Amino acid sequence: RWSSALNTKHFHKMWKFMANDEEYISKFSWFVKIDMDTVFMPQTLKNKYLSSPRHNSPDLRESNTAWGSPIPGPVELFSRGALRSFGLRHEKECDTGLGESMSIYDEWQQEDMYIYKCLEKLGYRNIEPSQGWRLDFETPESAYRQMQTGEEHICWKERGGEDTCIVRSEVRDRVIALHMHKQLEQMRIVKDWIGRDVA
């Protein structure tokens, strides 16, 4: 029906385990969940975004804050406060239905939709950057061939005929997650392309 993995029950166990371990939570300000077929650039997240008060302040870290409106996608970022809020309130407000209505847990079996709908009900604040911090689209083989030859500008035609282009310097500067591929070799090509010519 959804053409996506129904992973809520697996991630639900992980989120509960983390949220119930206060010693673990207190060690970190932010928590990132990445899809397995995503190239993640942690230094860009740290140096460009989490170095900014707009995205990283004591208030944001301790409140129910996340990136996404909605969150769903190849990467989700949660504050320490969001994880604590989930731990304290998810069983009553997200995992239990009222009357004939389904619970969020029962209704949303894609893990990204479950955590989004749950945090939304718990009143999370969205501080996602306006645009460009993640790339999430299908990429043809021609794009990977361009990457392998070291092209700075990678362009291809979409099925509708429109051109799509990405520029390595811009990707390197602002993108923290690239969800463009389904094969490990393609992920390696993207990672090598981004890091090319960097001293």
Side-chain angles (χ1 to χ4, degrees):
R1 178 184 175 187
W2 302 107
S3 299
S4 62
L6 305 181
N7 288 327
T8 291
K9 64 179 181 181
H10 305 299
F11 282 92
H12 188 266
K13 293 177 182 178
M14 179 193 70
W15 285 317
K16 283 181 63 176
F17 178 80
M18 293 169 59
N20 289 327
D21 189 341
E22 178 57 34
E23 182 179 356
Y24 174 76
I25 293 176
S26 64
K27 293 178 180 179
F28 306 99
S29 300
W30 297 94
F31 300 83
V32 184
K33 176 258 177 185
I34 300 289
D35 283 5
M36 291 180 64
D37 56 355
T38 299
V39 173
F40 177 48
M41 311 299 288
Q43 287 304 116
T44 304
L45 172 61
K46 180 179 179 181
N47 296 336
K48 180 174 179 63
Y49 296 106
L50 295 186
S51 62
S52 166
R54 182 186 183 282
H55 296 112
N56 191 20
S57 67
D59 175 59
L60 294 176
R61 292 192 293 270
E62 300 303 330
S63 61
N64 184 7
T65 307
W67 284 27
S69 181
I71 288 170
V75 55
E76 291 100 44
L77 184 72
F78 315 100
S79 69
R80 178 165 54 210
L83 199 56
R84 284 178 174 147
S85 180
F86 174 83
L88 291 172
R89 301 166 59 192
H90 75 92
E91 289 188 359
K92 180 178 180 180
E93 300 189 45
C94 301
D95 301 349
T96 304
L98 296 176
E100 296 182 358
S101 64
M102 297 176 66
S103 68
I104 293 173
Y105 178 85
D106 290 328
E107 183 174 1
W108 297 102
Q109 285 302 297
Q110 308 100 311
E111 85 287 346
D112 51 358
M113 284 302 300
Y114 164 77
I115 196 66
Y116 160 55
K117 291 292 185 179
C118 182
L119 291 182
E120 182 182 51
K121 188 170 184 180
L122 302 183
Y124 90 106
R125 279 195 290 171
N126 169 35
I127 59 166
E128 177 181 336
S130 58
Q131 62 182 358
W133 66 281
R134 72 186 192 193
L135 297 180
D136 187 11
F137 45 68
E138 293 184 12
T139 311
E141 284 299 321
S142 61
Y144 296 108
R145 290 194 292 270
Q146 294 175 65
M147 291 179 186
Q148 288 178 301
T149 61
E151 298 291 332
E152 176 73 10
H153 293 73
I154 307 297
C155 297
W156 64 90
K157 283 194 177 295
E158 299 287 354
R159 293 175 182 175
E162 64 273 15
D163 290 329
T164 294
C165 294
I166 55 175
V167 182
R168 177 168 47 201
S169 58
E170 295 177 359
V171 170
R172 188 183 289 157
D173 177 64
R174 69 170 187 256
V175 176
I176 70 168
L178 297 95
H179 187 237
M180 309 158 51
H181 25 256
K182 292 297 181 183
Q183 299 178 21
L184 182 59
E185 182 57 29
Q186 293 173 337
M187 296 173 70
R188 290 195 182 106
I189 291 171
V190 172
K191 185 175 182 295
D192 291 343
W193 174 70
I194 294 172
R196 193 165 182 157
D197 302 325
V198 175

